[in-house]
Amino acid sequence: MAGLWTYALLLCACLFGCPGLIPLTTASQPHNQTPKLGFNSSDGSLSLDLPMALRVFSVDYHHVQAPFEIVLWIMLASLAKLGFHWSGRVPAVVPESCLLIMVGLLVGGVIYGVRHSAPPTLSADAFFLFLLPPIVLDAGYFLPGKLFFENLGTILWYAVLGTLWNVLGIGLSLYGVCLLAQGSLGDVSLLHCLLFGSLIAAVDPVAVLSVFQEIHVNEQLHILVFGESLLNDAVTVVLYKLFESFLRLPSVSGLDVLLGGCRVVVVGLGGLFVGLFFGLVAALTSRFTSRAQVIAPLFVFLYSYLSYLTSEMLHLSGIMAIVTCAVTMKQYVEANVSERSNTSIQYFLKMWSSVSETLIFIFLGVSTIQDVHMWSWPFVCSTLLLCLIWRATGVLLLTAVVNKMRRNAVTFRDQFIIAYGGLRGAICFSLVFLIDDFPKKRLFITTTIVVILFTVFVQGMTIKPLVELLEVKRKKRALPTVSEEIHSRLIDHLLAGIEDVVGYWGQHYWKDKFEQFNKKYLRRFLIREDHQARSSILRVYQELERREQMGEDEEAPTPADSRSQSRPLLPEEMDSIRRILSRNLHNFNNKQTPAYSRHTLHQDATMDRTRKPLRRHQSLGERYTYNIHAQWPQGEDGEFSGSHRMRAGLSRSHTVCSISPRPVLLDSPAPATPAAPAQARPVEPDAPAAREDQIFPQPQVSVGRAPKKQLSFVLENEKQE
């Protein structure tokens, strides 16, 4: 552990010390430059400037500066993450994002102390083009589709209306604060306040994922918080660009506001259709990768990233595009590529998103140490308080409306966690640096950093104790079995049928229609014929296998659990197991039950009758049948009456057929007539008939021609006549 942190500090020294390296130079020309052709100044003849001597060792840092520093930053982030997981009980108390920000603050302070200048900051282009796409792609590819689409209405309710509520509420309230503090905040306009409200209302999915994956809340609460944060970013980025466009206009009219609303719809739906197109193209491409499985995972990353870049190029929602692309192509790509390719896709996505997330939190801490801060107590404190108030009121009001339309209502405890889990992160931090220069931009940057640190440290560290205190329902660790999945699908089909009968077009109706369309057209067109599952049960089993493999990799047992599961057996336990196995094997070898079918009901009379019969506990039906044999009065020919004869015949399916240890005389078969009853031996009163588990049927077939087979039921302990 100490060695890891020492190595990390050495990397820090390299990060702020490498730019100071200066390549060795000569008095006339640097050694690393190629010889130059030129004219002699004295006689004008052509001359060649050559180095004075051959150098054995030289340093050319500027040639590799950019990739070298990138590798060092990634190495520092990876070592910080590794040290976090080896830091004992710290991960149980402090979230990983908090420790990574603290590492970034430490590195930024060291760089600032050595250079006496601001450390490097995370640019908005680097964040939105390189670091954010892997995280959103990983979240969309492993998104639980069933839960997401079942709660899609509630998620959109929170993401769209909740975001508008927060943006307008925070923006208008901050403008009121600026009007009250005219002396220090008088130059902040309404559009500036709305612009700042749009970026500060962005709930960061990176911070939400890093915190909620550690507290393991129930699936419904997790998908509501995560889905809202994922779509919330798309809405806030669109609103931010809209208010930014309003600021650049000389005046804003009602027509501009109407066009702005239309632009929000176009940006969201445009990103949706771009992601859908690239997802289907990726699925179709994966169908033809059977002869080149090595490059199959590459198309997943290329088409997803291409959908994001295309949306950004067209000024559409890139987050919406990459999420839609990942959700669309997942089921078809997994069916087309091999298991090794699926494993490669899963591990690469997890690794890529984890590195990006770690770099984002470290750069958040590094970028905090700079000289552009401006402090205002009224503005900073009001922003922090308004973010909590408006989000809490928005969640309560919107949930009160949506609970009237939901079958499973969102409880008050879940509402509290949703409101308290609105963590801010790199989204708003990157957007605030994109604001055009104006006198209070530095105040906006400082306030954004304070809100991020407060939500990540205070709310992120206290949400786990609050979940335990409120006894919020936790996530089930065990994966569902095939039987549970089949029963769940049976319920879905049943509800879809009920909705179809009553004429109600609910979510189960549309889900069933999409499944039919997917099975009839999309799967036939996008999946290879040799990979199409012939049975839906087989497809469920394959899906559960993949989920179980991924779950085992993600949720490895703790050392204490592994020790408890792999406890060595005691010697007496081993002896007991050995005796049980040997006894059961001996009994199994001695068993000989006559095999029969509905076509051959006879038994071999020459079979050895010295073996012990197979015995088992009888059911209530068998015991009742035996009582009929033993107590019911019989006729002169030893036959039961019609109803009880039928009861005796039905009890045959509950009885084990075996060979009795004593020789038994079988009755001659009755004449083969349609009304011929089954014969049964009379029961002696003094026979040991109390042993109810000794009833064994002896099926008998007549030798002559008979249209029907007849059975004769005989007691095993009956005396030989």
Side-chain angles (χ1 to χ4, degrees), residues 372-449:
V372 296
H373 296 298
M374 178 185 294
W375 189 262
S376 174
W377 282 104
F379 192 83
V380 174
C381 296
S382 300
T383 303
L384 194 59
L385 187 61
L386 289 173
C387 287
L388 298 174
I389 293 175
W390 282 104
R391 180 167 178 84
T393 54
V395 169
L396 292 175
L397 293 177
L398 293 176
T399 308
V401 177
V402 79
N403 273 343
K404 298 180 179 180
M405 299 177 288
R406 284 180 59 90
R407 186 172 63 251
N408 298 324
V410 183
T411 63
F412 179 76
R413 298 176 181 178
D414 292 347
Q415 295 177 40
F416 179 80
I417 298 300
I418 293 173
Y420 199 75
L423 308 180
R424 274 66 172 180
I427 296 286
C428 53
F429 184 80
S430 301
L431 289 176
V432 74
F433 280 96
L434 294 178
I435 299 177
D436 297 333
D437 290 335
F438 80 105
K440 291 297 185 290
K441 180 180 178 179
R442 295 168 59 188
L443 177 61
F444 283 5
I445 294 175
T446 304
T447 307
T448 303
I449 293 175

Side-chain angles (χ1 to χ4, degrees), residues 82 85 92 106 110 217 225 228 250 291 318 334 426 490 511 518 599 625 662 664 669 687:
L82 187 62
H85 288 285
L106 178 62
V110 172
V217 294
V225 176
E228 187 261 340
R291 299 184 179 181
E334 286 184 345
L490 175 62
K511 180 182 177 181
N518 185 29
H599 303 290
T625 304
R662 300 179 182 180
V664 179

Side-chain angles (χ1 to χ4, degrees), residues 650-696:
L650 291 177
S651 66
R652 173 186 168 275
S653 61
H654 301 283
T655 311
V656 177
C657 297
S658 64
I659 306 302
S660 62
R662 300 179 182 180
V664 179
L665 292 180
L666 301 177
D667 294 339
S668 299
T673 60
Q679 301 294 329
R681 296 286 299 174
V683 180
E684 298 182 4
D686 55 346
R691 299 174 58 186
E692 297 180 358
D693 58 339
Q694 299 292 327
I695 301 176
F696 299 96

